[in-house]
Amino acid sequence: MPVHIVGESRLLRDMFLAICQSNDYQIGTCCDELSTLAGLGVDDLVLYYSHETGPELVEELRQFKEGNDASLLILIMGRECSTSMQTALSAYAEAVIPQRKSAEALIAALRVVQSGYRIVPSDISAALRAADVTTSGGDQAAETLGASADCAAVTLDGRVNGSLSEAGSNKGKPNGVPADPLPVDLRRMPASAAARGLSGREWLILTKLIDGATNKSIANELGICEATVKVHLRTCFRKIGAKNRTQAAIWASEQFLS
């Protein structure tokens, strides 16, 4: 999946280019205007840096999506903007990321969006919970809020809502979890996982769920019996408050954004 880098500042474009190249991303077009890109498809991801925070930016993203609806868009905000504006922008961008986030967080966001998730403002999270959206449904409520429900929604404050669908790269995968494996450098256990009391082995097993691995495949890879994997998973579910494999996989994915 090629990453196209857009932004007015040549220095910032070069910085994003270096970050992406150092993480083995294929680079597409580097340009200063979003309107330069046209005819992008499902294999394209756009990384767009903008200083604007007003309705003009919303309209710019809307026009871009009209011509490139299948492509993925990550918006990096150069200025702080209100949650309501972030919500409006999220109608057209798969992720809205503050500039203050680290390079590691940016790459994690790229991985999460590529895997079929969205990163949305926390007010959408609250509204979805109020509408009682669960992993078994809730598309209509999400559409009413202007948030796509065809993928999991990872909120900016670290919560996850919405449903996992069989759209895009996740189609036909077990439990709807992403099939693209995470790189080794993103498997290191973050502090947020350690704070839940997870052991290194338990965290490793959770990352296998993100890959869509079965209990049997995890057991074979780690050299343990399948029953032991089940015990580890039950313990993980209890520690992180997950009810099933899908919720556990989503929780593990969101920890890379912290």
Side-chain angles (χ1 to χ4, degrees), residues 16-228:
F16 293 134
L17 176 64
I19 293 172
C20 291
Q21 287 180 330
S22 67
N23 285 272
D24 299 322
Y25 274 95
Q26 176 187 349
I27 304 300
T29 302
C30 289
C31 56
D32 57 359
E33 293 185 0
L34 197 60
S35 59
T36 303
L37 302 176
L40 302 183
V42 294
D43 293 329
D44 294 279
L45 189 153
V46 178
L47 189 60
Y48 180 35
Y49 180 88
S50 176
H51 280 92
E52 299 297 328
T53 58
E56 296 84 2
L57 177 59
V58 177
E59 177 61 19
E60 182 183 15
L61 298 189
R62 185 193 67 78
Q63 292 181 6
F64 171 77
K65 276 296 187 175
E66 280 188 352
N68 304 277
D69 184 59
S71 62
L72 302 175
L73 175 64
I74 294 179
L75 175 65
I76 301 175
M77 302 299 299
R79 297 176 182 172
E80 294 295 330
C81 66
S82 65
T83 304
S84 60
M85 179 55 65
Q86 291 178 27
T87 301
L89 295 169
S90 292
Y92 305 104
E94 278 64 38
V96 180
I97 307 297
Q99 180 185 356
R100 63 179 180 273
K101 291 292 185 179
S102 66
E104 291 77 12
L106 174 61
I107 292 301
L110 285 167
R111 301 293 192 197
V112 168
V113 169
Q114 281 183 311
S115 295
Y117 298 97
R118 296 176 69 88
I119 304 173
V120 301
S122 55
D123 70 332
I124 290 181
S125 169
L128 286 171
R129 289 198 304 278
D132 204 20
V133 176
T134 68
T135 54
S136 61
D139 291 348
Q140 183 176 358
E143 289 172 358
T144 301
L145 292 165
S148 171
D150 63 356
C151 53
V154 182
T155 67
L156 290 176
D157 62 357
R159 293 188 293 270
V160 175
N161 294 277
S163 62
L164 286 172
S165 74
E166 295 182 353
S169 61
N170 296 337
K171 189 172 184 179
K173 302 299 185 294
N175 299 320
V177 297
D180 295 332
L182 288 166
V184 174
D185 59 340
L186 287 182
R187 292 190 186 276
R188 297 176 182 174
M189 185 166 66
S192 57
R196 293 295 188 103
L198 292 173
S199 67
R201 173 59 62 88
E202 289 167 348
W203 172 249
L204 178 60
I205 290 176
L206 281 181
T207 66
K208 301 298 182 183
L209 294 187
I210 300 175
D211 298 343
T214 64
N215 289 352
K216 184 176 181 179
S217 65
I218 295 174
N220 291 339
E221 182 175 348
L222 299 182
I224 57 180
C225 66
E226 192 171 347
T228 301

